[in-house]
Amino acid sequence: VTSLSIRHVGERFQRSNSTISKYFKKILFAFSSRDIYSKYVRLPRSDAPVHPTIHDNPKFFPFFADAIGAIDGTHIACAPSSEERDVMRNRK
């Protein structure tokens, strides 16, 4: 939720990185358990319209045209060619 690294969260709460990591994993497993997941997670329907911010922007739509959902803040490791490296660079 805080969009901070484990190191920053550990510094903020004065706990070791291993403690932060241990409890993060516990929370992750709790939220992905069948009871919570089936009750609170709803995947978008296949006929749900694409949001106008994505649909009307040629920078996004060709790449997200067939996507069924996304998680905010997800980072995906990639190894682009040297010509594409600047385009693929993370803004943070």
Side-chain angles (χ1 to χ4, degrees), residues 78-89:
C78 67
S81 65
S82 59
E83 295 84 28
E84 297 177 315
R85 212 162 272 151
D86 289 336
V87 178
M88 302 291 180
R89 192 174 312 268

Side-chain angles (χ1 to χ4, degrees), residues 1-16:
V1 173
T2 62
S3 299
L4 296 174
S5 67
I6 287 177
R7 184 171 50 92
H8 286 104
V9 173
E11 173 92 16
R12 166 69 177 87
F13 293 104
Q14 296 295 298
R15 298 288 184 262
S16 70

Side-chain angles (χ1 to χ4, degrees), residues 13-87:
F13 293 104
Q14 296 295 298
R15 298 288 184 262
S16 70
N17 292 349
S18 62
T19 299
I20 298 298
S21 179
K22 178 174 94 175
Y23 285 100
F24 175 80
K25 287 178 186 176
K26 285 185 177 192
I27 295 295
L28 182 64
F29 286 127
F31 281 129
S32 60
S33 70
R34 182 179 305 272
D35 295 337
I36 292 178
Y37 188 85
S38 62
K39 184 174 181 178
Y40 295 105
V41 175
R42 298 287 179 255
L43 295 175
R45 296 185 344 220
S46 61
D47 62 343
V50 177
H51 194 277
T53 303
I54 294 172
H55 191 273
D56 297 339
N57 189 336
K59 183 178 176 182
F60 298 134
F61 187 68
F63 306 105
F64 294 101
D66 296 325
I68 61 167
I71 300 174
D72 187 27
T74 300
H75 292 266
I76 301 170
C78 67
S81 65
S82 59
E83 295 84 28
E84 297 177 315
R85 212 162 272 151
D86 289 336
V87 178

